[in-house]
């Protein structure tokens, strides 16, 4: 994922708050990000979803 895309996602109101801010950099916990992905990411289409 690009830095720009991550910054876009971080602006969502539901995105977890940073764990810490260091000299202009924000740090997130991987567990917080993984939890957010599981809750908010759209499911990807599967082979069963494609029209025949």
């Amino acid at each position: 994922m690009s830095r720009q895309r991550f910054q876009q996602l971080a602006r969502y109101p539901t995105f977890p708050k940073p764990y810490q801010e260091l000299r202009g950099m924000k740090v997130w916990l991987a567990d917080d990000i993984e939890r957010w992905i599981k809750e908010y990411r759209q499911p990807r289409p599967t082979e069963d979803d494609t029209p025949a």
Side-chain angles (χ1 to χ4, degrees), residues 4-51:
Q4 292 83 6
R5 179 63 179 141
F6 187 84
Q7 289 172 348
Q8 289 173 343
L9 293 174
R11 287 188 219 125
Y12 281 49
T14 57
F15 201 78
K17 299 295 180 211
Y19 170 72
Q20 196 170 25
E21 293 192 35
L22 307 168
R23 293 186 181 186
M25 293 176 45
K26 296 178 182 179
V27 179
W28 283 264
L29 295 175
D31 288 342
D32 291 345
I33 302 300
E34 292 291 331
R35 231 182 336 270
W36 185 84
I37 290 169
K38 286 179 184 174
E39 186 171 347
Y40 291 99
R41 185 171 122 189
Q42 294 290 326
R44 293 186 178 189
T46 63
E47 288 181 25
D48 295 339
D49 294 335
T50 57

